[in-house]
Amino acid sequence: MSKLFSPFQLGPYALQHRVVHAPTTRLRANPDDSPSELMVEYYAQRASAGGLIITESTHVSYDSRGYLGAPGIYEDSHIPGWKKIADAVHAKGGVLFMQLGHDGRQSHVDLTGGPLPIAPSVVPFETDVLTHNGWVPASPHRAIDIDEIQLVIEYYRKAAVRAKAAGLDGVELHSANGYLADTFLQDGTNKRTDAYGGSIAKRARFLLELVEALVSVWGPGRVGVRLSPSGQWGSISDSDPEATFTHVAQQLNKFGLAYLHIIEPRVKGVETLDEHQRPVASEFLRKVFTGTIISAGGFNGEGAEAIVRKGDADLVAFGRFFASNPDLPYRLRHRLPLNDYDREAFWGGTHVGYTDYPAYHASAFARAA
């Protein structure tokens, strides 16, 4: 029997399988950052009975934006659109968590409304962000004042309140991929000498205070955290990632999280878990984190089954293959061929490469015709 398709209790939610829709930025929100009807259709297509969907990164404040077209939850006006998505997922028996994020220094003054993007410290780097003028280099950033940090934490708390009002089932803190929380945590980007920088414990403080704020709204079993110990996106780095992320995982144990979501390098676990494709972060964090672990990182069905059987992860998140296969759990369970994904349609656009991928039975019918 496949363990990937065995039941699992995620906090208060009874999942029927362990295939998770990963938070995948697609940039198809309305101009006011509210969810579009196209987004409602996308999530409804990918919902399954007892399946967990984590939404794309959702901005907690106007000035936290880094990519035009990403949705927000920083205004009450955003709640109705998210409620439509939650209702659509629930109608198919699915569970929906919202990923909350602040893009930090990966932004531009055209997106923040004028202020410089913020980071724990000024560490020059190069990346492109999406604005009304297309993909452009990120603006220079500034170090956030210590007095402002509590204001940002309050943005997250209010966003969590709005997500709850919209009828979602939980929230995930995006502390990965070189965005704001991740830059506080890692010493390649955090050069502060105050209470939020220096030692691992001080660098982890911002992340842990964010988690505390989210749990104050949702309670235990309904908040997840996403980390990328091996990540390099956004020019992120740490001198001792195993020590840093081990400390964080140990500290997260006290919150009763729904899960810890770990991003592995994409080359890890694509085929089977041999010595060259071993998701090392999930393995070393499993030794210290006592709760549920979700692993993500380019897995196929065989790799996902292997890591769950090995015990280094309880669930496996899929991004690219879920993008092109709305019925991915069904296809993996029955070992059916997968639709190819269109990378050119990942970030922004229309329904093409977004909601026009057929389910297996529909594609089989098309081939027969």
Side-chain angles (χ1 to χ4, degrees):
M1 176 180 176
S2 168
K3 191 164 185 179
L4 191 63
F5 289 94
S6 62
F8 187 81
Q9 190 68 31
L10 183 76
Y13 306 112
L15 303 183
Q16 296 183 25
H17 60 80
R18 305 179 186 219
V19 177
V20 177
H21 180 287
T24 310
T25 294
R26 303 304 304 274
L27 306 182
R28 283 162 168 91
N30 290 323
D32 66 350
D33 294 347
S34 63
S36 64
E37 290 297 327
L38 203 56
M39 288 172 59
V40 177
E41 182 179 359
Y42 172 88
Y43 285 110
Q45 288 177 346
R46 283 150 185 81
S48 62
L52 172 63
I53 288 180
I54 308 170
T55 75
E56 60 212 273
S57 182
T58 305
H59 294 126
V60 299
S61 62
Y62 184 84
D63 59 1
S64 72
R65 305 184 309 156
Y67 300 91
L68 188 71
I73 191 67
Y74 56 85
E75 297 283 358
D76 289 348
S77 60
H78 297 149
I79 293 174
W82 283 112
K83 189 175 189 307
K84 286 184 180 181
I85 292 175
D87 289 347
V89 171
H90 292 155
K92 294 178 71 173
V95 176
L96 185 67
F97 274 47
M98 177 185 289
Q99 187 186 75
L100 300 177
H102 189 304
D103 290 351
R105 65 182 191 163
Q106 296 187 56
S107 187
H108 192 277
V109 292
D110 288 350
L111 296 168
T112 66
L116 293 179
I118 59 172
S121 309
V122 175
V123 180
F125 79 119
E126 294 181 2
T127 194
D128 289 336
V129 297
L130 184 61
T131 73
H132 288 286
N133 295 316
W135 291 93
V136 300
S139 295
H141 55 280
R142 67 177 180 87
I144 185 174
D145 293 336
I146 194 167
D147 294 340
E148 296 177 88
I149 291 176
Q150 293 305 313
L151 177 62
V152 173
I153 293 172
E154 181 64 5
Y155 288 153
Y156 277 86
R157 191 194 67 79
K158 288 181 177 179
V161 170
R162 293 189 185 97
K164 197 170 189 179
L168 280 85
D169 300 304
V171 293
E172 174 183 285
L173 171 62
H174 192 3
S175 183
N177 297 346
Y179 297 117
L180 185 62
D182 197 20
T183 57
F184 265 89
L185 180 60
Q186 303 204 49
D187 63 14
T189 46
N190 186 342
K191 308 298 183 182
R192 302 178 75 93
T193 57
D194 58 16
Y196 290 89
S199 68
I200 294 175
K202 288 183 177 180
R203 286 186 276 116
R205 180 178 175 179
F206 180 62
L207 184 159
L208 297 176
E209 288 183 352
L210 287 174
V211 174
E212 185 176 21
L214 300 182
V215 172
S216 75
V217 174
W218 282 92
R222 293 175 170 85
V223 175
V225 174
R226 198 177 209 211
L227 302 173
S228 54
S230 304
Q232 298 179 343
W233 179 267
S235 298
I236 196 76
S237 66
D238 191 83
S239 61
D240 191 349
E242 185 163 348
T244 296
F245 287 92
T246 293
H247 172 82
V248 169
Q250 289 171 330
Q251 294 302 307
L252 290 175
N253 283 328
K254 64 186 179 184
F255 292 103
L257 295 180
Y259 59 80
L260 178 61
H261 189 176
I262 302 166
I263 305 175
E264 299 286 357
R266 187 167 293 175
V267 297
K268 306 277 188 181
V270 176
E271 299 299 338
T272 57
L273 302 181
D274 61 28
E275 62 179 355
H276 301 296
Q277 294 175 317
R278 186 162 50 86
V280 291
S282 298
E283 186 176 81
F284 77 73
L285 293 180
R286 172 61 92 188
K287 297 175 182 177
V288 294
F289 184 69
T290 58
T292 295
I293 288 180
I294 301 176
S295 187
F299 290 96
N300 62 12
E302 290 75 14
E305 179 71 33
I307 193 172
V308 171
R309 284 195 174 278
K310 188 171 183 288
D312 287 341
D314 301 291
L315 304 100
V316 179
F318 294 81
R320 294 168 296 154
F321 287 126
F322 233 135
S324 57
N325 294 275
D327 55 347
L328 182 64
Y330 179 85
R331 291 186 188 233
L332 293 180
R333 181 193 291 267
H334 298 285
R335 298 180 178 274
L336 299 171
L338 303 181
N339 297 323
D340 292 331
Y341 52 84
D342 179 5
R343 186 176 296 276
E344 296 299 317
F346 279 177
W347 299 291
T350 66
H351 71 286
V352 177
Y354 187 58
T355 58
D356 61 344
Y357 288 107
Y360 180 76
H361 291 298
S363 59
F365 177 81
R367 289 195 300 272

